[in-house]
Amino acid sequence: MQQDKDTALDLQQIRQEIDQVDEHIQQLLNQRAKLAETVAKAKFANETNPIFYRPEREAQVLRKVMERNTGPLSNETVARLFREIMSACLALEAPQSIAFLGPVGTFTQAAAIKHFGQDAITKPIASIDEVFREVESGSAHYGVVPVENSSEGIVNHTLDCFKASHLHVIGEVELPIHHQFLISSNTRKDSIKQIYAHQQTLAQCRHWLDAHYPGVERVALSSNAEAARRIKNEWHSAAIASDVAAQIYELEILHANIEDNPENTTRFLVIGREKAAKSGHDKTSLLISAHDKAGALLEILAPFAKHNITLTSIETRPALPEKWAYVFFIDLKGHVEDDNVKHALDEIRPHVKELRVLGSYPIAVL
Amino acid sequence: MQQDKDTALDLQQIRQEIDQVDEHIQQLLNQRAKLAETVAKAKFANETNPIFYRPEREAQVLRKVMERNTGPLSNETVARLFREIMSACLALEAPQSIAFLGPVGTFTQAAAIKHFGQDAITKPIASIDEVFREVESGSAHYGVVPVENSSEGIVNHTLDCFKASHLHVIGEVELPIHHQFLISSNTRKDSIKQIYAHQQTLAQCRHWLDAHYPGVERVALSSNAEAARRIKNEWHSAAIASDVAAQIYELEILHANIEDNPENTTRFLVIGREKAAKSGHDKTSLLISAHDKAGALLEILAPFAKHNITLTSIETRPALPEKWAYVFFIDLKGHVEDDNVKHALDEIRPHVKELRVLGSYPIAVL
């Protein structure tokens, strides 16, 4: 009893301390918001069309937060809290509207909220083309589209949109991606004969499948959603798809998170009408239309190596309507204002039909 | 040019100030987290099964934050930031798992995140019964279920679950609800002959419909989702449903937010295994099984009036399997430990078959 009382007293005292800390945090939050308002006023006084969201500045703030963090809150947690604080301050200056590839509740919305915080106004848009159009027309400040979610086959579509658009890439977002082993209410668990999923997903779960369902036929379909839909009325099959798909098609998750590599992520691009300035840790996305000749790719790649530039991704797409000519999408580490990147691009330009910088932007912080 | 330079200097200076404020905020956030850890240690030392989430304490903190707020951040924004801060600190003590009526991306998930913050682990569950079972079995710490979303007809099902469960209501969440006027790609906009929706939704948009589609037939269906699904292949009809439904069924939003009352909200209940203590602004939910006789309801209601207790909602449900007997679900303002509530309940108890306090909990703060 005595002990209980002591604890109660202790608790009360600690809570009073927490209240004092809270009051102090609140003062500082409002002080920060006031400073942000001052920034907004200075911008309005000097620019006719001021831009309020500065991706490079935000990335710098978040990196600083993570560098100086001493815990106990983790770097990720404290950076996420600062994302929300910046989002709240930005909304006070000028609320930002973000078009994303819908529907509501998809990973793309999660990516938009992760990047812009909860105070941004997110608008679900039915197709990737329309997300581009929303941003081009000014109906939305920024757009968020998936780019490396190859299991659903939408990478290419996003890249194709850049061919016809002059929007800039101003940021990237990474989200962890998990695969679920799904069965329907009809499935006989003991006699699963087929496992459906997109080719890429089957590959990403290969070791797990080898261990748990050796010898069971794996059937590659056009998407994981299609796999989920198909097993709905089947007895001897299972699908691999996301928990969103499990919910939509009312399937049971028999085994959760079966991907071989738990570090699996999906990547999204943030698009806008203005370029992002240098943040210090940047990536650049390029679109290069090559001549149709032997060694074309080599001529493109050599200057990057020479100038010590790391490429993080290369995608090849046919440059319709011309047959047999190709467009390369290249991501590299560095900003287009870095000297080595500038020099490399200058050397490549004479050898290609077109070289377009889609954007330089901060490497995903979180 | 000079002016631009001045602005640039100003901006740089303000940003330095912001950085200083940020550093200070960060120190305090970690100090708060340390205090929360101390609370956790004290609890572990003295309780075998310590409870970390205290709804009444959280409500008190949020109310305090809103009361002392001087801006420029709005009360809602600053309270939302504190919700996230508390969520991050709580996750450090003991991560909380929240079962909610899925699928992912529904309003119920939004309610769960609004109430518990982003650091809670939310688990989509396929039915309301199963949400109850998840919490009863301890698979989830808490559950979130819709209760006053009468347009989809799920109120009653949640109430029915309480009849067979001993879980407590420990909180409520309110979300704004909007109705969209939807058409399919086949719809001939100029010759809409039917408008489908749930009865309740049609009622909630009556003035708007009278003004914009006078004389067009309104057809009540079992749910708004059913209405959205049905117009998919029709030419002369429209549906009223949520933007989620618009996305799922790939429909066009012809007119947005057509509800007559923009203050329209949906209400959700938070359920848990332990009771919530008094927060100072509380509500109580009761289940009362009445005798089958004339004046039964009056006998129940009179003591509330006598003790000056405000009722916020009454729902009547048949008490199956007994025919003609009824169960009342009553929400009132006050906590079951308030004297006037105690007295009222004591006076009612002898006149009814059963009186169960489903829970006393803080009134929704945000």
PDB file of all heavy atoms in Angstrom, chain B residues 252-268:
ATOM      1  N   GLU B 252     -16.661   8.879 -61.622  1.00  0.00           N
ATOM      2  CA  GLU B 252     -16.281  10.285 -61.642  1.00  0.00           C
ATOM      3  C   GLU B 252     -17.075  11.061 -60.593  1.00  0.00           C
ATOM      4  O   GLU B 252     -18.286  10.849 -60.442  1.00  0.00           O
ATOM      5  CB  GLU B 252     -16.562  10.856 -63.040  1.00  0.00           C
ATOM      6  CG  GLU B 252     -16.122  12.310 -63.186  1.00  0.00           C
ATOM      7  CD  GLU B 252     -16.640  12.926 -64.496  1.00  0.00           C
ATOM      8  OE1 GLU B 252     -16.894  12.174 -65.459  1.00  0.00           O
ATOM      9  OE2 GLU B 252     -16.798  14.152 -64.545  1.00  0.00           O
ATOM     10  N   ILE B 253     -16.395  11.937 -59.858  1.00  0.00           N
ATOM     11  CA  ILE B 253     -17.099  12.806 -58.915  1.00  0.00           C
ATOM     12  C   ILE B 253     -17.613  14.008 -59.704  1.00  0.00           C
ATOM     13  O   ILE B 253     -16.850  14.890 -60.075  1.00  0.00           O
ATOM     14  CB  ILE B 253     -16.168  13.274 -57.773  1.00  0.00           C
ATOM     15  CG1 ILE B 253     -15.683  12.073 -56.965  1.00  0.00           C
ATOM     16  CG2 ILE B 253     -16.885  14.286 -56.867  1.00  0.00           C
ATOM     17  CD1 ILE B 253     -14.700  12.401 -55.847  1.00  0.00           C
ATOM     18  N   LEU B 254     -18.921  14.021 -59.999  1.00  0.00           N
ATOM     19  CA  LEU B 254     -19.482  15.117 -60.791  1.00  0.00           C
ATOM     20  C   LEU B 254     -19.688  16.346 -59.904  1.00  0.00           C
ATOM     21  O   LEU B 254     -19.452  17.475 -60.328  1.00  0.00           O
ATOM     22  CB  LEU B 254     -20.804  14.662 -61.431  1.00  0.00           C
ATOM     23  CG  LEU B 254     -21.414  15.606 -62.457  1.00  0.00           C
ATOM     24  CD1 LEU B 254     -20.481  15.827 -63.636  1.00  0.00           C
ATOM     25  CD2 LEU B 254     -22.761  15.053 -62.965  1.00  0.00           C
ATOM     26  N   HIS B 255     -20.145  16.118 -58.670  1.00  0.00           N
ATOM     27  CA  HIS B 255     -20.291  17.217 -57.702  1.00  0.00           C
ATOM     28  C   HIS B 255     -19.732  16.734 -56.365  1.00  0.00           C
ATOM     29  O   HIS B 255     -20.121  15.658 -55.903  1.00  0.00           O
ATOM     30  CB  HIS B 255     -21.757  17.599 -57.503  1.00  0.00           C
ATOM     31  CG  HIS B 255     -22.475  17.912 -58.785  1.00  0.00           C
ATOM     32  ND1 HIS B 255     -22.253  19.074 -59.486  1.00  0.00           N
ATOM     33  CD2 HIS B 255     -23.383  17.202 -59.490  1.00  0.00           C
ATOM     34  CE1 HIS B 255     -23.017  19.071 -60.580  1.00  0.00           C
ATOM     35  NE2 HIS B 255     -23.709  17.939 -60.607  1.00  0.00           N
ATOM     36  N   ALA B 256     -18.866  17.527 -55.765  1.00  0.00           N
ATOM     37  CA  ALA B 256     -18.216  17.103 -54.521  1.00  0.00           C
ATOM     38  C   ALA B 256     -18.906  17.677 -53.286  1.00  0.00           C
ATOM     39  O   ALA B 256     -19.489  18.755 -53.338  1.00  0.00           O
ATOM     40  CB  ALA B 256     -16.750  17.512 -54.533  1.00  0.00           C
ATOM     41  N   ASN B 257     -18.871  16.933 -52.187  1.00  0.00           N
ATOM     42  CA  ASN B 257     -19.349  17.393 -50.869  1.00  0.00           C
ATOM     43  C   ASN B 257     -20.746  18.011 -50.941  1.00  0.00           C
ATOM     44  O   ASN B 257     -20.931  19.181 -50.645  1.00  0.00           O
ATOM     45  CB  ASN B 257     -18.364  18.412 -50.272  1.00  0.00           C
ATOM     46  CG  ASN B 257     -16.965  17.845 -50.163  1.00  0.00           C
ATOM     47  OD1 ASN B 257     -16.763  16.632 -50.340  1.00  0.00           O
ATOM     48  ND2 ASN B 257     -15.997  18.691 -49.869  1.00  0.00           N
ATOM     49  N   ILE B 258     -21.706  17.185 -51.334  1.00  0.00           N
ATOM     50  CA  ILE B 258     -23.058  17.711 -51.559  1.00  0.00           C
ATOM     51  C   ILE B 258     -23.950  17.615 -50.325  1.00  0.00           C
ATOM     52  O   ILE B 258     -25.139  17.917 -50.397  1.00  0.00           O
ATOM     53  CB  ILE B 258     -23.751  16.992 -52.743  1.00  0.00           C
ATOM     54  CG1 ILE B 258     -23.914  15.502 -52.432  1.00  0.00           C
ATOM     55  CG2 ILE B 258     -22.972  17.187 -54.037  1.00  0.00           C
ATOM     56  CD1 ILE B 258     -24.915  14.813 -53.345  1.00  0.00           C
ATOM     57  N   GLU B 259     -23.375  17.176 -49.178  1.00  0.00           N
ATOM     58  CA  GLU B 259     -24.205  17.049 -47.968  1.00  0.00           C
ATOM     59  C   GLU B 259     -24.747  18.416 -47.558  1.00  0.00           C
ATOM     60  O   GLU B 259     -24.052  19.418 -47.667  1.00  0.00           O
ATOM     61  CB  GLU B 259     -23.412  16.410 -46.824  1.00  0.00           C
ATOM     62  CG  GLU B 259     -22.218  17.204 -46.340  1.00  0.00           C
ATOM     63  CD  GLU B 259     -20.978  17.022 -47.190  1.00  0.00           C
ATOM     64  OE1 GLU B 259     -21.015  16.242 -48.166  1.00  0.00           O
ATOM     65  OE2 GLU B 259     -19.970  17.684 -46.886  1.00  0.00           O
ATOM     66  N   ASP B 260     -25.991  18.425 -47.083  1.00  0.00           N
ATOM     67  CA  ASP B 260     -26.623  19.691 -46.697  1.00  0.00           C
ATOM     68  C   ASP B 260     -25.919  20.312 -45.499  1.00  0.00           C
ATOM     69  O   ASP B 260     -25.780  21.521 -45.395  1.00  0.00           O
ATOM     70  CB  ASP B 260     -28.104  19.462 -46.359  1.00  0.00           C
ATOM     71  CG  ASP B 260     -28.885  19.024 -47.584  1.00  0.00           C
ATOM     72  OD1 ASP B 260     -28.507  19.437 -48.702  1.00  0.00           O
ATOM     73  OD2 ASP B 260     -29.855  18.269 -47.422  1.00  0.00           O
ATOM     74  N   ASN B 261     -25.496  19.466 -44.571  1.00  0.00           N
ATOM     75  CA  ASN B 261     -24.866  19.959 -43.357  1.00  0.00           C
ATOM     76  C   ASN B 261     -23.386  19.623 -43.386  1.00  0.00           C
ATOM     77  O   ASN B 261     -22.993  18.475 -43.197  1.00  0.00           O
ATOM     78  CB  ASN B 261     -25.540  19.291 -42.142  1.00  0.00           C
ATOM     79  CG  ASN B 261     -24.821  19.627 -40.860  1.00  0.00           C
ATOM     80  OD1 ASN B 261     -23.969  20.512 -40.822  1.00  0.00           O
ATOM     81  ND2 ASN B 261     -25.166  18.906 -39.804  1.00  0.00           N
ATOM     82  N   PRO B 262     -22.547  20.622 -43.601  1.00  0.00           N
ATOM     83  CA  PRO B 262     -21.114  20.331 -43.707  1.00  0.00           C
ATOM     84  C   PRO B 262     -20.501  19.871 -42.386  1.00  0.00           C
ATOM     85  O   PRO B 262     -19.362  19.434 -42.355  1.00  0.00           O
ATOM     86  CB  PRO B 262     -20.513  21.657 -44.164  1.00  0.00           C
ATOM     87  CG  PRO B 262     -21.510  22.686 -43.827  1.00  0.00           C
ATOM     88  CD  PRO B 262     -22.846  22.029 -43.772  1.00  0.00           C
ATOM     89  N   GLU B 263     -21.263  19.955 -41.295  1.00  0.00           N
ATOM     90  CA  GLU B 263     -20.749  19.538 -39.992  1.00  0.00           C
ATOM     91  C   GLU B 263     -20.959  18.044 -39.746  1.00  0.00           C
ATOM     92  O   GLU B 263     -20.623  17.527 -38.677  1.00  0.00           O
ATOM     93  CB  GLU B 263     -21.443  20.308 -38.864  1.00  0.00           C
ATOM     94  CG  GLU B 263     -21.320  21.801 -38.961  1.00  0.00           C
ATOM     95  CD  GLU B 263     -19.934  22.293 -38.605  1.00  0.00           C
ATOM     96  OE1 GLU B 263     -19.542  22.174 -37.441  1.00  0.00           O
ATOM     97  OE2 GLU B 263     -19.229  22.771 -39.516  1.00  0.00           O
ATOM     98  N   ASN B 264     -21.580  17.400 -40.717  1.00  0.00           N
ATOM     99  CA  ASN B 264     -21.792  15.954 -40.690  1.00  0.00           C
ATOM    100  C   ASN B 264     -20.573  15.174 -40.196  1.00  0.00           C
ATOM    101  O   ASN B 264     -19.498  15.316 -40.754  1.00  0.00           O
ATOM    102  CB  ASN B 264     -22.023  15.535 -42.151  1.00  0.00           C
ATOM    103  CG  ASN B 264     -23.264  14.698 -42.273  1.00  0.00           C
ATOM    104  OD1 ASN B 264     -23.843  14.287 -41.270  1.00  0.00           O
ATOM    105  ND2 ASN B 264     -23.666  14.449 -43.505  1.00  0.00           N
ATOM    106  N   THR B 265     -20.752  14.328 -39.186  1.00  0.00           N
ATOM    107  CA  THR B 265     -19.607  13.523 -38.761  1.00  0.00           C
ATOM    108  C   THR B 265     -19.991  12.055 -38.606  1.00  0.00           C
ATOM    109  O   THR B 265     -21.167  11.721 -38.470  1.00  0.00           O
ATOM    110  CB  THR B 265     -19.045  13.989 -37.400  1.00  0.00           C
ATOM    111  OG1 THR B 265     -20.092  13.909 -36.433  1.00  0.00           O
ATOM    112  CG2 THR B 265     -18.489  15.391 -37.470  1.00  0.00           C
ATOM    113  N   THR B 266     -19.006  11.208 -38.663  1.00  0.00           N
ATOM    114  CA  THR B 266     -19.181   9.806 -38.306  1.00  0.00           C
ATOM    115  C   THR B 266     -18.511   9.608 -36.965  1.00  0.00           C
ATOM    116  O   THR B 266     -17.468  10.192 -36.710  1.00  0.00           O
ATOM    117  CB  THR B 266     -18.453   8.879 -39.284  1.00  0.00           C
ATOM    118  OG1 THR B 266     -18.718   9.300 -40.597  1.00  0.00           O
ATOM    119  CG2 THR B 266     -18.932   7.447 -39.122  1.00  0.00           C
ATOM    120  N   ARG B 267     -19.070   8.746 -36.155  1.00  0.00           N
ATOM    121  CA  ARG B 267     -18.527   8.531 -34.826  1.00  0.00           C
ATOM    122  C   ARG B 267     -18.010   7.104 -34.710  1.00  0.00           C
ATOM    123  O   ARG B 267     -18.611   6.170 -35.251  1.00  0.00           O
ATOM    124  CB  ARG B 267     -19.634   8.789 -33.796  1.00  0.00           C
ATOM    125  CG  ARG B 267     -19.187   8.736 -32.364  1.00  0.00           C
ATOM    126  CD  ARG B 267     -20.272   9.356 -31.476  1.00  0.00           C
ATOM    127  NE  ARG B 267     -20.009   9.080 -30.084  1.00  0.00           N
ATOM    128  CZ  ARG B 267     -20.694   8.203 -29.355  1.00  0.00           C
ATOM    129  NH1 ARG B 267     -21.704   7.542 -29.869  1.00  0.00           N
ATOM    130  NH2 ARG B 267     -20.363   8.004 -28.081  1.00  0.00           N
ATOM    131  N   PHE B 268     -16.913   6.950 -34.029  1.00  0.00           N
ATOM    132  CA  PHE B 268     -16.304   5.642 -33.818  1.00  0.00           C
ATOM    133  C   PHE B 268     -16.097   5.448 -32.326  1.00  0.00           C
ATOM    134  O   PHE B 268     -15.917   6.419 -31.593  1.00  0.00           O
ATOM    135  CB  PHE B 268     -14.947   5.565 -34.527  1.00  0.00           C
ATOM    136  CG  PHE B 268     -15.033   5.833 -35.996  1.00  0.00           C
ATOM    137  CD1 PHE B 268     -15.048   7.143 -36.470  1.00  0.00           C
ATOM    138  CD2 PHE B 268     -15.130   4.784 -36.900  1.00  0.00           C
ATOM    139  CE1 PHE B 268     -15.156   7.399 -37.829  1.00  0.00           C
ATOM    140  CE2 PHE B 268     -15.231   5.039 -38.258  1.00  0.00           C
ATOM    141  CZ  PHE B 268     -15.256   6.349 -38.718  1.00  0.00           C
TER     142      PHE B 268
END
